[in-house]
Amino acid sequence: MKTIVTTLVLGATLAVPLSASAQVSAQGTLTNFSYSLVDLLPNDGIAPSLSIVKPLNPAQLGIRAIGDISETGLRQNRESSEDNSHLLYSRDLDAGISLAQGTAVSTVSGTNFQTLALSTAASTKNGAGYERRVVASNYVMIEEFVLSPGTEVRFFADVRGSVAKALPSTNTLKESSELSASMSFPEFSANGYPDFVSEFSMRAPSWSADPNAPYSESASERLSIMFQNTAKTSWKLKVELTLWSEANSLDTSPVASPVPEPATYGMLLAGLALVAGVARRKRPA
């Protein structure tokens, strides 16, 4: 069950002018991985087991950590870290970017399934006249689980995170932030297997109970996915893990129309007089 704490920051914050460089952020972790087994056929003489082996023919990238920072009118900045070795738990990766526009950090670590840990953090600073987006994400595909016949397995993980925006909803500099996490068996569809995926998401909304106040929220949830191997042979399982943090800021102030200089009006009147003179000369006598 999701646990949520929401805070509307008032008091001293509203006593001072809101800065155009205020920060918006999102961050989270995906940790405490574990599993449990249930013997579906207690009389078949096969003890339930889940073994971890190196995949023979890995088809997908095992792990990826990415940081992105983009701004209107500027080139996108990206750092990525990838593992193509598919070694058992060769998972220590990190990607990070820190610029004047914001910061993105993504890490993956752990020496075995139980100690596997994913973390992301993204933040950006508002700036007049710009739209900025910062993303920190990571992805892990585990193709190493082999489940015994007549066995049910349930995987667990804990996700924790927070989202925040410093400016009120009524400000022309709009902010939003988002955190999402998922754990799934990628080879199954939701229609055929309803327990194939467990997802978590939270967002700092564009509205709040007090539109004149900043917004912050923290939450945690226990993710769980389940698979039942009712076949007479072992089953190879793939487990996919994702974690995503995103921070956005946008200047929504109207663009003022330029006021013409006095010289511009003079040139316009002179042009109109010239056109009128030419038209008068062309009039028949």
Side-chain angles (χ1 to χ4, degrees), residues 36-137:
S36 63
L37 301 176
V38 176
D39 193 350
L40 300 175
L41 303 172
N43 299 321
D44 64 354
I46 301 176
S49 65
L50 184 72
S51 57
I52 302 176
V53 299
K54 182 179 179 179
L56 297 176
N57 299 299
Q60 300 189 42
L61 179 71
I63 180 174
R64 178 188 295 115
I66 296 177
D68 280 308
I69 296 179
S70 59
E71 180 177 285
T72 52
L74 295 180
R75 179 176 62 86
Q76 183 180 35
N77 296 275
R78 163 175 286 202
E79 179 176 327
S80 63
S81 181
E82 300 178 348
D83 174 24
N84 291 290
S85 66
H86 290 273
L87 296 175
L88 278 175
Y89 296 102
S90 174
R91 308 199 190 286
D92 290 337
L93 295 179
D94 62 85
I97 303 176
S98 184
L99 302 173
Q101 291 80 16
T103 302
V105 178
S106 172
T107 63
V108 181
S109 61
T111 57
N112 56 50
F113 179 68
Q114 280 75 16
T115 61
L116 185 63
L118 286 68
S119 66
T120 59
S123 63
T124 182
K125 292 185 177 181
N126 247 316
Y130 295 104
E131 178 180 3
R132 293 173 178 171
R133 179 173 182 260
V134 178
V135 173
S137 63

Side-chain angles (χ1 to χ4, degrees), residues 200-233:
F200 168 91
S201 64
M202 58 188 304
R203 181 180 177 86
S206 57
W207 53 269
S208 61
D210 186 345
N212 294 309
Y215 182 94
S216 66
E217 177 184 344
S218 61
S220 62
E221 186 173 331
R222 184 75 161 163
L223 302 183
S224 174
I225 56 176
M226 184 267 290
F227 175 76
Q228 292 180 335
N229 180 16
T230 56
K232 296 181 179 180
T233 58

Side-chain angles (χ1 to χ4, degrees), residues 233-267:
T233 58
S234 299
W235 193 287
K236 289 187 176 182
L237 288 174
K238 298 179 181 179
V239 176
E240 182 178 275
L241 312 169
T242 65
L243 185 63
W244 177 284
S245 296
E246 181 176 343
N248 296 278
S249 58
L250 171 64
D251 183 4
T252 61
S253 57
V255 179
S257 301
V259 178
E261 296 291 333
T264 305
Y265 286 115
M267 292 178 62

